[in-house]
Each structure stands twice: as C-alpha cells, then as structure tokens.
Amino acid sequence: EEDSTLSITVVGASGDLAKKKIFPALFALYYEDCLPKNFVVFGYSRTKMNDEELRNMISRTLTCRIDKRENCDNKMAQFLKRCFYHSGQYNSEEHFQELNCKLKEKEGSRLSNRLFYLSIPPNIFVDVVRCASTKASSTTGWTRVIVEKPFGRNSESSSELTRCLKQYLTEDQIFRIDHYLGKELVENLSVLRFSNLVFEPLWSRNYIRNVQLIFSEDFGTEGRGGYFDNYGIIRDIMQNHLLQILALFAMETPVSLDAEDVRNEKVKVLRSMRPLQLEDVVVGQYKGHSKGGKSYPGYTDDPTVPSNSATPTFAAAALFINNARWDGVPFLMKAGKALHTKRAEIIVQFRHVPGNLFKRNFATDLDKATNELVLRVQPDEAIYLKINNKVPGLGMRLDRSDLNLLYKARYPREIPDAYERLLLDAIEGERRLFIRRDELDAAWSLFTPMLKELEERKIAPELYPYGSRGPVGAHYLAAKHNVRWGDLT
Ligand code: BG6
C-alpha cells in the first residue's frame, strides 16, 4: 500500500449522481479510513473548472452524514485536498492523455491502480472507454471501470454495448453497478435466509404463496424527464433493481460466497424464468393533480417529455420461475414514480396453515391471516414477521401481530450508503455485488420481447393521479394470480 497510489476518476463529475452520491460516498470511505494511504480523486467532465471550483462544488453537495461527529470539518478539508479536476471532451484521446499526465504526476514512481467511474449517459460509454483505456490506463497496476446502468435498452443494444466495451476492456475490468445490491437489507437477504433455520426450509413453493417486490417514490421524474422518457420505469427499476433482488431471493444455495459461485446461482435462476408476457404486465403514467391547494405536474407536463409520450412511470408485473422450488409461485413486482409514498420492500406471503384449528377465531378473513415476512429496504430499514397471536383475555380471539426488528432501534449506528459499499468493493476487486455479463444477458432476455410488444403495439398507460396509489390495473393483475398486494392491506 505504501508504494502504490489509487486514483479514482469520476467521469461526468459535474452530473447529479456524482454530486449526490459518488463524491459523498468517497468522502465517507475516507472518513472511515477505508481508502488506501495514497489516493487521489479526479473529476472529469466537459464543464470548465479548476481544482478549487471542483472542491467548492463537492463541498457544497457533500452530505456529511457523520457531520455530528468531531473532526468532520478537518477531515473534509483533508479530503478535498486530494480532489482534482480535469476538463475534457468525452471522445478526445488527447484530453485523456492530458489526464494521464496529471495522474502520473500524482503517482510519482509508485505503482498505480486506477478506477474510473462512468457517471455519464450510455451513448458516450464507448467513447470514454476507448479514450480512457488507450490513453489513461495504468501501466503498472490495475485499471477498473465502473459502469452505471442503463446497459442498453434491450437484448440487442446491450449485446452491442458489451461487444464494443470488449474491444478495450476484459470482463474482469468491468464493474457493472446496480446500487440496490449495495443496500443493507438486500445484502442481508442471504444472511436471513441461509443462516436461520426457521427460514431456509420454508423458502419454496411448499410454504410460500407469493413474493412481492415493491418500489415506490413519492416524486416524479422532475428534471430527469429527458433521460427517463427513453427508458421508462420497467428499464429504470424492474429489469435491474427489482430483478436483482428477485434473483438473490430465489437462487439456490451457492457453493460459497465467492463472487463466481453466487453469480452462477443468480444466472441459473434468471435463466429458469419464463420471459414476461404482455398479459402479465400493467403500465401506468402519472397525470397532474392538485391536492390541498398545491398542484403537482403530470409526467407529460415536463418540457423535456413529448406531450404524447406513452412511457410508463408505473408498472406491475407477474413473473414465474420454472424450477422445482418455485413452480407456480407468482413473483409480483410493482414500481412507480409519483405515488403516495417512498418505499422499497420485499414481502413474502406464506400459505395457509392446513386445517387451522383456530379458523373461527380470526377477526378478519382467513386469507389476511397468513404469515407475512417483510423486509423494508427503505426508508427506515426493518424486518418484520406477521404472526397470529391470541389477544390476551378470557376469550379466544386471534390477532395478527408483528415480530419487529427495527434497525434504528437495534443498530443505532448509521447505515452506510449503498455506493460506499460498492465503491469499496470495486477498489478491493470484490465482484460479488456487480453484474456479470451473462446475468445482464439473462435479465434482458426476460424483458426484451415484452418491451418490444408493448412499444410496437403502443399500449397506452393507465393514467393515475400524482400522489395516488397507482393504477387500479395493478389490483386486477394481482387478483388474477390470487395475490393481494401486501403494501396496501
Ligand atoms: C435509480 C433510478 O437507479 O434509482 C432512479 O434511475 C431512482 O429513477 C433511483 O430514483 C432510486 O434509488 P434510491 O436508492 O433512491 O432508492
């Protein structure tokens, strides 16, 4: 470590993701002493700035989540001193060559490891990778590149992107990030399942009735309409974040926690799934709405969105896994923007107790009285298990209660942001939480035919008011598969 330098170059440094997530995550890692002794951070983008201006920009958006702790200002100043900037075009080998010189200057005679974070739109991925790999690769240590989604729009464009990147990088150098995999509760999913005897034996069609993966945001695409309209919620959230959770949830036990072993199991389960059918998908789009004297804009009111856009901002889907463990179990996904709440949850509904002795003692209908396990990914991380319990008293009345593990009560320490864990993993060369190429292909195969049909047939999304619970079609879809959405009951 003494004789090597790590440089982290954030390409697209003036963008939102860099400002909101990447720089703050790097600072948090620095604060926690997780970065190597000799590290430098470079910002690269087209905006003309000098080092000082970059530092000002970063410090303004640096959400020091540990700012209550002592020494934060000092640490922040130390960190900012290690941040530098180079302005350049994304397709200019010459500009990357200049960056290379600056990197070399910082590295001196030490061995150099270089991490590039591509926080840029996909249409310039290949240019940047070409320029960076030919002009700014490390010649003495490793070079790794983190790429953000979207990785293409469908199977074809994703394969094309892979083919282009392969000209310049080996699979080992590419770290495809899905930040949901860095979320604490998503990582915990495997712990919960594989190290608790009370769960793993129940993890199959024998005991589980359905699984629900729910993502909702209480704000629209404000300011991101231009990007979003090209992709829509299915590509933005379902094909990656929710599908990744599904794969972790449903995979068979991996041989070990090794990156390849885990990803082998994820690919296997993805490949056991049947591609989505249009009839198992409901799409929606939010429309303007006024509430309490305030008015909320509709999706197409965004000036960067065409007024006749049919891009879904909401979708619900039912997926199935054709294997012995999950045959017939619906996996329902629901994702939407501009809904009534901001939340991400994994809900597992268990089957009925056969011949339940107490069926007459339930206050509610028996169908609502089955066990349910909920992992609340955010906000306010929690795991709770709904169980049936006797209401204390002389009578015999049953009630559904929660065994509740609330993270902030049990673990008062702040939970690291997903980007912190993932950046650290990339620095350490740990690939388990990054998407392997075959995983990406499998994920696109599941969604591509349905997306194609949806777009070719110009299926109109069901409109729902901003701030509502989304289109009613989602209920019909669930009902068709005998499911009741767990977040609405
Ligand atoms: C991103 C999507 O991947 O995830 C955004 O592109 C979405 O549309 C975001 O808002 C949600 O992430 P988080 O961590 O805030 O739930």
Side-chain angles (χ1 to χ4, degrees):
E1 192 176 281
E2 288 288 320
D3 29 333
S4 70
T5 298
L6 168 70
S7 66
I8 303 157
T9 303
V10 181
V11 184
S14 53
D16 242 26
L17 182 72
K19 282 193 267 188
K20 286 195 188 137
K21 295 290 184 183
I22 305 171
F23 291 120
L26 288 171
F27 172 62
L29 289 175
Y30 172 70
Y31 190 96
E32 300 281 332
D33 279 331
C34 294
L35 294 182
K37 181 164 159 280
N38 305 308
F39 80 92
V40 287
V41 173
F42 262 86
Y44 186 103
S45 62
R46 285 176 310 183
T47 313
K48 292 260 179 289
M49 268 194 275
N50 57 30
D51 295 344
E52 223 30 63
E53 285 165 314
L54 173 85
R55 290 172 187 158
N56 282 336
M57 184 196 86
I58 299 178
S59 67
R60 246 180 284 131
T61 55
L62 213 58
T63 52
C64 187
R65 70 181 168 83
I66 30 214
D67 57 2
K68 280 155 259 148
R69 286 201 255 153
E70 58 194 67
N71 208 14
C72 188
D73 283 351
N74 183 19
K75 280 272 195 180
M76 216 188 259
Q78 296 291 329
F79 174 78
L80 290 172
K81 269 198 228 153
R82 312 271 200 118
C83 297
F84 305 91
Y85 186 73
H86 188 69
S87 139
Q89 295 298 321
Y90 294 123
N91 59 0
S92 161
E93 295 194 5
E94 193 190 324
H95 295 167
F96 276 90
Q97 175 68 51
E98 291 162 9
L99 172 72
N100 187 48
C101 293
K102 288 193 179 170
L103 288 172
K104 278 207 158 130
E105 197 187 300
K106 307 286 176 225
E107 290 159 358
S109 57
R110 287 185 295 267
L111 183 138
S112 86
N113 291 320
R114 296 183 180 177
L115 177 65
F116 291 86
Y117 196 122
L118 305 198
S119 174
I120 47 172
N123 58 328
I124 52 178
F125 274 178
V126 180
D127 277 337
V128 170
V129 168
R130 174 174 52 82
C131 299
S133 68
T134 51
K135 298 295 173 192
S137 273
S138 164
T139 48
T140 55
W142 51 254
T143 302
R144 295 178 187 143
V145 180
I146 300 182
V147 277
E148 271 283 346
K149 71 164 212 306
F151 313 112
R153 297 187 78 251
N154 50 33
S155 293
E156 295 76 43
S157 53
S158 164
S159 305
E160 174 62 14
L161 191 59
T162 302
R163 200 185 56 74
C164 293
L165 295 185
K166 236 174 73 182
Q167 294 177 269
Y168 307 104
L169 299 170
T170 61
E171 173 69 17
D172 256 16
Q173 294 182 287
I174 306 176
F175 286 68
R176 297 179 193 85
I177 200 168
D178 182 314
H179 78 285
Y180 265 64
L181 292 182
K183 297 207 183 238
E184 188 59 43
L185 262 81
V186 176
E187 258 232 287
N188 190 49
L189 189 53
S190 298
V191 177
L192 188 76
R193 177 178 167 196
F194 294 122
S195 69
N196 289 291
L197 186 68
V198 296
F199 293 122
E200 169 51 29
L202 304 186
W203 225 251
S204 76
R205 66 190 302 278
N206 296 335
Y207 301 101
I208 291 179
R209 231 184 345 160
N210 66 72
V211 180
Q212 305 175 19
L213 307 165
I214 300 174
F215 167 96
S216 72
E217 276 179 344
D218 55 359
F219 47 89
T221 57
E222 290 101 14
R224 289 177 76 229
Y227 148 80
F228 191 87
D229 201 61
N230 251 316
Y231 293 92
I233 198 82
I234 299 175
R235 293 183 179 92
D236 190 46
I237 303 289
M238 278 190 170
Q239 181 268 354
N240 34 70
H241 304 331
L242 297 187
L243 190 65
Q244 283 297 320
I245 297 178
L246 191 158
L248 280 176
F249 183 97
M251 69 182 182
E252 295 299 313
T253 316
V255 176
S256 77
L257 289 174
D258 223 60
E260 299 320 321
D261 288 338
V262 173
R263 295 186 299 178
N264 286 344
E265 292 309 327
K266 284 169 68 195
V267 179
K268 204 166 88 192
V269 76
L270 290 173
R271 293 183 52 212
S272 310
M273 292 173 69
R274 91 175 178 225
L276 261 170
Q277 315 277 304
L278 195 54
E279 70 213 37
D280 276 331
V281 178
V282 168
V283 288
Q285 188 186 80
Y286 64 92
K287 59 178 181 188
H289 180 57
S290 9
K291 207 159 80 185
K294 218 182 148 205
S295 70
Y296 298 88
Y299 175 65
T300 54
D301 295 333
D302 183 331
T304 56
V305 169
S307 57
N308 62 351
S309 169
T311 300
T313 59
F314 173 99
L319 294 99
F320 293 88
I321 304 174
N322 294 325
N323 67 16
R325 186 185 287 270
W326 297 114
D327 190 15
V329 177
F331 283 79
L332 264 73
M333 288 183 180
K334 186 161 73 167
K337 301 225 166 227
L339 294 172
H340 72 298
T341 183
K342 175 166 166 50
R343 203 183 310 169
E345 276 179 339
I346 305 166
I347 300 176
V348 187
Q349 292 184 340
F350 290 88
R351 289 189 184 280
H352 292 264
V353 173
N356 195 332
L357 258 185
F358 293 96
K359 30 175 181 288
R360 291 179 207 297
N361 306 87
F362 282 100
T364 59
D365 100 54
L366 209 56
D367 213 39
K368 285 191 188 159
T370 55
N371 294 125
E372 206 173 286
L373 175 70
V374 180
L375 278 81
R376 192 163 64 225
V377 176
Q378 64 188 36
D380 224 358
E381 291 82 352
I383 300 175
Y384 50 99
L385 179 64
K386 298 184 182 175
I387 58 160
N388 295 310
N389 201 47
K390 178 178 170 301
V391 178
L394 298 178
M396 176 55 80
R397 201 158 59 78
L398 267 58
D399 178 33
R400 197 154 73 147
S401 312
D402 293 345
L403 294 180
N404 197 351
L405 170 61
L406 206 58
Y407 271 49
K408 70 169 179 239
R410 178 70 181 86
Y411 307 106
R413 202 175 172 279
E414 289 244 31
I415 294 173
D417 189 74
Y419 282 93
E420 291 169 37
R421 175 177 332 253
L422 294 173
L423 273 162
L424 186 60
D425 280 356
I427 291 168
E428 292 180 341
E430 166 61 78
R431 292 175 175 78
R432 185 163 48 90
L433 300 181
F434 292 88
I435 314 298
R436 206 167 64 184
R437 182 188 162 178
D438 52 351
E439 255 186 284
L440 177 64
D441 293 345
W444 274 124
S445 306
L446 290 175
F447 283 85
T448 296
M450 179 278 294
L451 284 167
K452 189 156 179 264
E453 208 181 331
L454 186 76
E455 283 155 12
E456 273 174 9
R457 286 172 47 188
K458 299 198 168 58
I459 306 283
E462 200 178 318
L463 298 178
Y464 61 96
Y466 194 117
S468 69
R469 287 169 184 265
V472 70
H475 295 271
Y476 297 130
L477 175 68
K480 185 172 120 186
H481 296 289
N482 274 319
V483 178
R484 204 193 291 258
W485 289 107
D487 61 329
L488 301 178
T489 48

